[in-house]
Amino acid sequence: MATPTASASLNKSVYAVGESMVLTINHSDADRQTITVSGTVTDSSGNSANWSATAKIDAGVVAFTQSGGKTWTLQSATDNQSVYTATA
Amino acid sequence: MAPTVSGTVTDSAGNTATWSASWTVGQPSGDLRWYGRTLFGQSYARYKVHTISGESGRYAAVEQDTQFNGKKGSAVVRVFGGSGGPSYAEMRPSYIRAGQPVIYSFNWPNNQAEAACKDDFRTFLRSGPTVWERVWLTHHHEPDNDWPTSLNRTWWLDTLVWMREVLDEPEFAARATQIRLCWIGTGVPFQDSTPLSSDRHWKKIIDDLTARAGGRTDIVQADGADRYNPAWDGSQRYMPWSNWAGEMINCHNYTGRPFVVGEAGSPRDDSNLSIAQKDADRAAWLDDQYQRMRDAGWFDAVSYWRVPATSDSLNAWSTNMCTPTGYNAQLSAAGKTMQNGGPDAQAVVDVHSRYCIESMSGTPAIPFYSTGLLARLKAMVRGIRRSRSTADRRHRP
């Protein structure tokens, strides 16, 4: 199992009071992949239906250990990136 | 230490990566120095009509002025409000630089009832963000100029108490940390010639405020004056620090509070020296006062009066007075003599700009104090010290 990597950056280093802060967390994992399993179901008459399902392996769970006194609200998330906002 | 947000990313096997990011609040564009030493800025407009062709134009003309080595901006800007009560939009018009501290004054109709004032003030406080930008907030511009004619002095004192009572309400705790409630008089309360018994003397104003507040001494968090060198009247040269600031120093020693100079400056003196020499002397005077205020450590903010005459603060600018050509045109057209800028006064402008720029760089040092328990304790200590100090003075020969 590979260890994930993560980095975080803010859109600015200095904020005015009340200004919006955007926190972007980039995270990746060599094991991360999306598996798709698919197949068909066939009845005795030869009629068939397709099915599929996807599963994400090691999507990575983002957690906060320290908020810096702010309430961070998730704005968007992909496999590799989570974006949060707060008010300075 | 800068605030930090940190966390982890964990995969399905429990492997973890950590991340973190830090930031600073309080120093927006221009690396503004907010706390600690004096903020130098400009007072160039009165009421809401600061326009060349519009408010933003006049603000931009001053803030974008590049006369000093191509640099620009004010660490603090004074905003004069109208007479309809406080307004957040008026205090922080959209064109003001993000985070720029302001010195804001507003008026309520004379003798407006307590409940109406408090409700109005609560509405005002709620109209801004949860955590406010820095503001030195005062009710009534130069109040001592308006009593006893158009302003009820006792009522005005009471309004400060009412504002404090509202600021102390738990709902406004976060906003209150960014507000320094103050009063800013004319220069009269701080002139040597103003008798202690005068209603306009700073000590009588402060003592009367304490009395109206039932003995509470922490109603305001700063005292202030619009303090000019009295060469204003053409009869004197430039006052030494001991005269110009003497009563401000006495006031600070009495209250232990910071001080705000809402308007500072001086016209040229009426000596027989050349214009160039008068301006050189004036620049040296300003440099001396600024340096001493900065080094005193308890002057919060100083804004420089930067227009030729009062009418130019009241009326729209027909020309950009930040340019030498525009300034001279305005000056000669109106036949004005009070000059704080213009090409002949480049030395004065340079001094002022140098302090503005300096106060916009560096590291914040001293945070605002809140109106919570700590502030109350500080006020108690100040009160004890003051009692002792007063007793000491009484026993001096």
Side-chain angles (χ1 to χ4, degrees):
Chain A
M1 265 309 205
T3 299
T5 60
S7 64
S9 62
L10 288 159
N11 63 325
K12 294 174 71 175
S13 59
V14 178
Y15 294 94
V17 173
E19 199 172 359
S20 180
M21 308 169 72
V22 181
L23 171 67
T24 302
I25 303 166
N26 292 308
H27 44 89
S28 62
D29 191 320
D31 301 321
R32 182 172 301 156
Q33 52 187 296
T34 301
I35 295 174
T36 303
V37 184
S38 60
T40 58
V41 177
T42 307
D43 66 12
S44 56
S45 303
N47 300 312
S48 63
N50 296 324
W51 60 266
S52 71
T54 59
K56 212 164 274 183
I57 306 296
D58 272 354
V61 176
V62 177
F64 284 71
T65 52
Q66 187 178 332
S67 70
K70 301 293 174 192
T71 300
W72 296 95
T73 304
L74 181 64
Q75 299 297 334
S76 65
T78 65
D79 283 358
N80 301 311
Q81 189 177 81
S82 301
V83 178
Y84 293 83
T85 58
T87 302
Chain B
M1 197 169 72
T4 299
V5 57
S6 61
T8 58
V9 175
T10 307
D11 69 10
S12 55
N15 300 312
T16 296
T18 60
W19 53 266
S20 70
S22 298
W23 69 92
T24 303
V25 174
Q27 294 193 68
S29 56
D31 289 327
L32 189 62
R33 174 185 287 183
W34 276 31
Y35 326 126
R37 299 174 80 177
T38 307
L39 296 184
F40 289 91
Q42 308 189 59
S43 179
Y44 52 86
R46 181 182 278 180
Y47 311 125
K48 292 181 283 189
V49 194
H50 20 117
T51 68
I52 293 176
S53 57
E55 286 185 56
S56 59
R58 183 162 170 174
Y59 173 83
V62 175
E63 293 299 303
Q64 301 299 317
D65 180 16
T66 56
Q67 290 189 74
F68 181 71
N69 295 337
K71 294 185 176 178
K72 57 195 177 187
S74 305
V76 63
V77 61
R78 189 172 202 197
V79 178
F80 294 84
S83 57
S87 158
Y88 188 85
E90 178 182 75
M91 182 179 80
R92 295 202 63 83
S94 58
Y95 54 79
I96 280 192
R97 192 176 65 220
Q100 186 174 31
V102 300
I103 303 169
Y104 176 59
S105 63
F106 67 92
N107 283 11
W108 270 313
N110 195 26
N111 291 324
Q112 178 167 289
E114 175 180 354
C117 289
K118 284 186 168 178
D119 283 349
D120 191 40
F121 195 52
R122 289 188 189 101
T123 301
F124 167 62
L125 293 172
R126 289 182 185 123
S127 64
T130 305
V131 179
W132 275 30
E133 299 86 354
R134 187 87 358 137
V135 56
W136 287 268
L137 178 66
T138 178
H139 171 220
H140 208 101
H141 174 73
E142 298 182 350
D144 58 294
N145 223 10
D146 289 336
W147 66 58
T149 52
S150 59
L151 177 65
N152 178 340
R153 183 176 182 273
T154 302
W155 170 81
W156 173 75
L157 292 167
D158 286 345
T159 63
L160 296 177
V161 178
W162 300 336
M163 290 163 74
R164 167 56 54 215
E165 288 172 353
V166 170
L167 285 168
D168 284 349
E169 292 173 3
E171 178 186 350
F172 306 113
R175 293 172 172 91
T177 60
Q178 298 298 316
I179 296 170
R180 192 162 268 182
L181 187 62
C182 62
W183 69 280
I184 303 176
T186 66
V188 172
F190 300 91
Q191 287 173 358
D192 291 339
S193 57
T194 303
L196 261 171
S197 58
S198 167
D199 273 353
R200 297 185 72 173
H201 194 281
W202 63 262
K203 186 174 181 301
K204 185 137 192 349
I205 294 169
I206 290 170
D207 286 348
D208 287 349
L209 177 60
T210 300
R212 297 299 302 176
R216 190 174 166 183
T217 58
D218 62 346
I219 298 301
V220 294
Q221 295 157 304
D223 306 280
D226 292 343
R227 187 79 171 121
Y228 291 92
N229 178 68
W232 185 274
D233 61 10
S235 62
Q236 298 180 52
R237 296 210 66 207
Y238 305 110
M239 293 176 84
W241 169 256
S242 57
N243 290 118
W244 186 75
E247 286 301 312
M248 294 192 283
I249 294 169
N250 286 341
C251 177
H252 168 72
N253 289 339
Y254 184 70
T255 64
R257 292 193 288 256
F259 205 90
V260 175
V261 179
E263 296 172 21
S266 174
R268 290 185 181 124
D269 69 53
D270 65 346
S271 66
N272 293 322
L273 299 172
S274 66
I275 292 288
Q277 187 60 53
K278 287 181 182 182
D279 279 338
D281 291 348
R282 187 158 59 123
W285 173 82
L286 194 69
D287 195 3
D288 186 46
Q289 313 312 308
Y290 271 23
Q291 187 172 321
R292 290 172 186 270
M293 282 192 283
R294 182 196 63 193
D295 293 346
W298 46 268
F299 281 91
D300 267 351
V302 176
S303 59
Y304 182 70
W305 182 248
R306 203 186 166 172
V307 291
T310 300
S311 59
D312 296 317
S313 73
L314 294 169
N315 303 324
W317 290 1
S318 58
T319 175
N320 182 352
M321 283 189 280
C322 290
T323 67
T325 303
Y327 190 94
N328 264 2
Q330 182 78 358
L331 197 63
S332 58
K336 293 157 188 158
T337 56
M338 190 192 107
Q339 300 176 54
N340 276 334
D344 288 339
Q346 186 65 52
V348 176
V349 173
D350 283 356
V351 166
H352 170 69
S353 299
R354 177 156 52 82
Y355 282 87
C356 280
I357 298 302
E358 182 196 83
S359 66
M360 285 190 287
S361 59
T363 306
I366 306 169
F368 253 30
Y369 51 74
S370 73
T371 55
L373 179 61
L374 182 61
R376 300 277 176 82
L377 289 171
K378 285 179 178 175
M380 281 175 58
V381 170
R382 282 198 299 272
I384 294 167
R385 283 181 181 156
R386 195 172 67 187
S387 300
R388 288 178 178 165
S389 173
T390 304
D392 288 347
R393 279 199 294 274
R394 285 197 192 109
H395 289 93
R396 280 179 197 155

